[in-house]
Amino acid sequence: MTIDVRTPIEKAREEKHKRICDDFLRLTSQMPECAPHRIFRIIAERVGMTIPGVKHIIVQNGLYKSNK
């Protein structure tokens, strides 16, 4: 048995990041011809974040690899 010692803010952040990643996977499968930066914009508008912020979360979770 493990005890969850995360703060409510950490739990909310993790849930938000999971939602963003799930949205990215769902949208890329629904619209394979759509460029990733356009999908980042759609997600950013939905969750109230910046496009670079959404891209950072998706890259950090290994779902997208930038050219850099």
Side-chain angles (χ1 to χ4, degrees), residues 6 26 34 54 58 61 68:
R6 297 175 297 158
R26 183 175 47 79
C34 190
V54 169
I58 292 170
N61 283 283
K68 293 183 180 182

Side-chain angles (χ1 to χ4, degrees), residues 2-63:
T2 60
I3 299 172
D4 191 2
V5 295
R6 297 175 297 158
T7 65
I9 293 172
E10 290 172 327
K11 291 176 186 177
R13 181 185 309 120
E14 185 177 313
E15 187 173 312
K16 183 177 186 178
H17 287 200
K18 183 177 179 341
R19 249 191 342 263
I20 289 169
C21 292
D22 290 345
D23 277 352
F24 180 74
L25 291 173
R26 183 175 47 79
L27 290 171
T28 53
S29 68
Q30 287 177 354
M31 302 181 287
E33 73 286 345
C34 190
H37 69 275
R38 295 188 186 273
I39 294 175
F40 298 153
R41 182 185 54 79
I42 292 168
I43 295 170
E45 290 175 357
R46 285 183 184 174
V47 297
M49 289 180 64
T50 63
I51 295 169
V54 169
K55 180 180 177 183
H56 176 76
I57 291 168
I58 292 170
V59 169
Q60 188 177 29
N61 283 283
L63 301 177

